[in-house]
Amino acid sequence: MQQIGMLIYPMMFDVDLVGPLTFMQRLGDANVFLVWKDRAPVVSDLGVSYFARHDFESCPRDLDILFVPGGLKGTIPAMQDRAVLDFLADRGSRARYVTSVCTGSLLLGAAGLLNGYKATSYWMVRDLLPLFGAELVTERVVIDRNRITGGGATAGLDFGLTLAAILRGEDHAKMLQLAVEYDPQPPFDAGAPERAPASVVDNLREMRNGELEAAR
C-alpha cells in the first residue's frame, strides 16, 4: 500500500490541499494522511480546522509521496520553521515523489529539495524559485524526474489528475475527472497574469505587496 503524506500548516490555502486530496483519496491501495508537528487543530486561511493523523515523529519514514500545499500567509512563517524544514528534508530525501502545489514549492525549495530541478509555483512568487537552485518553468504542472510541482491554487486539480495518471494510468485519472465533473469553463479569461487586464494584475500585486516582500 502506498504511503502518501500531506503536510498541513497554519494559514495554508484550503483549495491547495483539498483539490489534490480529492484525487489522492480515490487512488485505491493508498494510505493517505495529513501530517503536522503535533496533533493540535491546524486552522487554514479560510478558518477551517484540520487534524493531522501523524506528527513529525510518527509519520512513516519512507513515503511514496510527500505533498506540500501552499498559501502565502502560512508559507512565509513555515519557511522560517526549522522543524518543518528538517521534516521535509528528511522525508523528501527518501520519498518516491516529492510534490507541491502553489507556494508549497517555496517550502520544498527552502528545505533544499528543488536544487537542480525544474519547478513552478504561484505566479506572484515563482520568480523566487531560482534562489533555491530550481529552474523556473511557467507551466500549470511541471514534472522533473520525481519532483512534481503545480501552479497556484486551482492548479492542484490538474496536479492531482496528473499524479493519478502516473500512479494508476490515464483511464483511472479520466474516471476521477469525470466522477467530480471537472470541466472548467470560467466566466472570465483572467486566471493568469499574461491574460488578465493589466489593471487587475497591478491592483492585486498592490494588495499583496506586504506578503510578497515578506516572502522575498
Side-chain angles (χ1 to χ4, degrees), residues 6 14-25 67 101 153 156-157 159-160:
M6 307 182 76
D14 298 71
V15 71
D16 291 352
L17 173 73
V18 175
L21 179 61
T22 297
F23 296 121
M24 290 188 190
Q25 284 282 23
F67 172 78
V101 164
L157 294 169
F159 161 86

Side-chain angles (χ1 to χ4, degrees), residues 173-185:
K174 289 175 181 177
M175 180 183 67
L176 294 180
Q177 181 179 3
L178 180 58
V180 301
E181 200 172 348
Y182 178 43
D183 184 25
Q185 299 177 40

Side-chain angles (χ1 to χ4, degrees), residues 14-121:
D14 298 71
V15 71
D16 291 352
L17 173 73
V18 175
L21 179 61
T22 297
F23 296 121
M24 290 188 190
Q25 284 282 23
R26 291 165 173 79
L27 288 173
D29 192 33
N31 178 28
V32 183
F33 50 87
L34 306 182
V35 186
W36 179 234
K37 62 173 64 178
D38 54 44
R39 307 293 179 86
V42 172
V43 181
S44 72
D45 177 69
L46 297 181
V48 178
S49 294
Y50 295 86
F51 294 84
R53 190 198 311 175
H54 288 286
D55 58 27
F56 290 170
E57 292 297 322
S58 69
C59 176
R61 287 180 51 80
D62 298 302
L63 298 174
D64 291 284
I65 299 168
L66 173 65
F67 172 78
V68 182
L72 199 52
K73 289 180 183 178
T75 300
I76 293 169
M79 289 170 66
Q80 303 172 61
D81 190 324
R82 178 48 56 185
V84 173
L85 299 184
D86 287 347
F87 169 76
L88 293 176
D90 178 74
R91 298 309 194 273
S93 69
R94 293 184 300 276
R96 181 182 172 196
Y97 292 103
V98 177
T99 71
S100 68
V101 164
C102 197
T103 59
S105 58
L106 297 186
L107 265 173
L108 293 182
L113 294 170
L114 291 181
N115 188 25
Y117 289 88
K118 297 177 181 178
T120 193
S121 190

